[in-house]
Amino acid sequence: MSELNPISRKQLIRSLKKFGFDGPYSGGKHQYMIKDNLRLTIPNPHQKDISPSLLARILRQAKITKEDWEN
């Protein structure tokens, strides 16, 4: 199993949509995406890519395995 790579916020949203998430929607301090009863908080836009460790936490919350993410 290979390690995750940094990813841009735009690419993260595009990829999550392929997994069936809708959004992003405005909410409080952060935007979020929805799939069924799961609400996933999306990091705010910034100049840097999303780190592999943050991406791993997002995928865990989204119930997406690293193997599924890489395919």
Side-chain angles (χ1 to χ4, degrees):
M1 176 173 26
S2 64
E3 292 296 317
L4 295 171
N5 294 318
I7 188 172
S8 69
R9 182 179 188 273
K10 185 176 181 179
Q11 183 60 43
L12 172 66
I13 291 169
R14 190 177 304 133
S15 296
L16 287 172
K17 285 184 177 190
K18 290 180 184 177
F19 281 96
F21 282 86
D22 293 321
Y25 301 105
S26 295
K29 294 181 179 180
H30 295 276
Q31 291 183 331
Y32 62 93
M33 296 183 77
I34 296 176
K35 179 180 178 184
D36 300 324
N37 293 328
L38 181 62
R39 179 176 165 155
L40 183 65
T41 302
I42 302 298
N44 288 328
H46 50 76
Q47 300 299 328
K48 298 179 183 178
D49 287 343
I50 295 168
S51 69
S53 62
L54 179 55
L55 178 57
R57 284 184 278 160
I58 292 169
L59 294 179
R60 194 174 319 117
Q61 291 173 5
K63 299 179 180 160
I64 300 171
T65 66
K66 289 182 184 180
E67 293 79 16
D68 289 341
W69 181 258
E70 293 170 351
N71 292 333

